[in-house]
Amino acid sequence: MADLAPQGRQAALLLAQVGGMPTELQLIVQVAQFDEAAEGLRPVRTYIVRVLGALEHRIANLGTTTDDVTLTDDHPLLYAYSSPAAALFFRGSPPDPALLALDIAQEHALTFRGWRHFPDYLNTSAPLLTLLASGGGLLGQMPLPLAERLARALEAHGLETKLMQDAPPARPPVPDQRLQALMLGESYFLSWAFSFDEMGKA
């Protein structure tokens, strides 16, 4: 991460492959510096990044440079694994089901900031407007942060809500280990452990 601190630095995910175990991913990430004289990028260092025990990943920008690289334990993608699961039930009929559906979609977008797509986690056994006008039922099974926001939205429209919580779906392999997200532009990798080694360095 320090390699990316100077102005003009970029990182590129050059390669992603399965490692020594089925749940291990190996990434080749190159850090480069923009060279104004050459009007191009000059390689600085290349790293092998091992994603040990990957829970989920998406590779969206292979070979494309980005200056947006973070390793964090606070990201909406982690909610599905680090937050309790919750079933959200409601009872009652809103005065304007279409307005409530719009509020539900907005709360979903605010919770996940575009990293999960609507209607992920919602009950899709019937169209949302039909479900909201039905008088009650299961709105969906979802991570608790989303359930709490949707419960407030439902209550603001005069509906009763009930939340039933379960334990988080993922347990750390080592006590007190924190689940993290490695973000490389639009690509991401979720895991309990990462290792970073510079290529060509003994």
Side-chain angles (χ1 to χ4, degrees):
M1 301 305 164
D3 269 355
L4 290 166
Q7 189 172 356
R9 291 285 172 93
Q10 297 277 314
L13 176 59
L14 301 180
L15 176 70
Q17 64 185 14
V18 176
M21 300 184 66
T23 57
E24 179 188 333
L25 295 174
Q26 291 183 355
L27 316 176
I28 305 297
V29 179
Q30 186 175 79
V31 177
Q33 172 72 46
F34 180 71
D35 188 333
E36 290 187 13
E39 296 185 350
L41 292 169
R42 174 174 46 81
V44 175
R45 264 177 286 280
T46 304
Y47 293 91
I48 298 177
V49 181
R50 291 179 176 85
V51 186
L52 308 169
L55 292 176
E56 182 183 343
H57 70 279
R58 182 180 77 185
I59 299 168
N61 53 328
L62 196 65
T64 306
T65 60
T66 179
D67 61 357
D68 183 14
V69 180
T70 55
L71 181 64
T72 179
D73 59 9
D74 181 20
H75 194 281
L77 284 170
L78 300 175
Y79 294 159
Y81 304 97
S82 59
S83 299
L88 176 58
F89 296 87
F90 72 95
R91 186 168 64 182
S93 297
D96 187 342
L99 183 59
L100 176 53
L102 185 63
D103 285 349
I104 289 171
Q106 184 175 20
E107 292 299 331
H108 191 286
L110 289 171
T111 301
F112 293 114
R113 305 198 303 265
W115 289 102
R116 302 278 186 211
H117 301 293
F118 187 81
D120 284 358
Y121 304 114
L122 296 183
N123 181 358
T124 56
S125 62
L128 183 57
L129 285 177
T130 303
L131 180 64
L132 294 175
S134 68
L138 173 68
L139 184 63
Q141 295 177 294
M142 61 199 74
L144 185 59
L146 176 62
E148 290 174 337
R149 293 187 74 131
L150 294 186
R152 289 193 293 270
L154 293 170
E155 291 162 6
H157 285 259
L159 304 182
E160 297 178 36
T161 63
K162 182 178 181 180
L163 269 175
M164 297 181 66
Q165 290 186 42
D166 201 353
R171 299 277 183 194
V174 177
D176 299 324
Q177 195 171 20
R178 295 184 69 83
L179 184 62
Q180 294 180 302
L182 174 63
M183 315 299 297
L184 290 151
E186 296 298 312
S187 298
Y188 65 80
F189 305 86
L190 311 184
S191 180
W192 297 104
F194 296 87
S195 72
F196 300 82
D197 297 295
E198 185 178 340
M199 287 186 69
K201 189 173 181 179

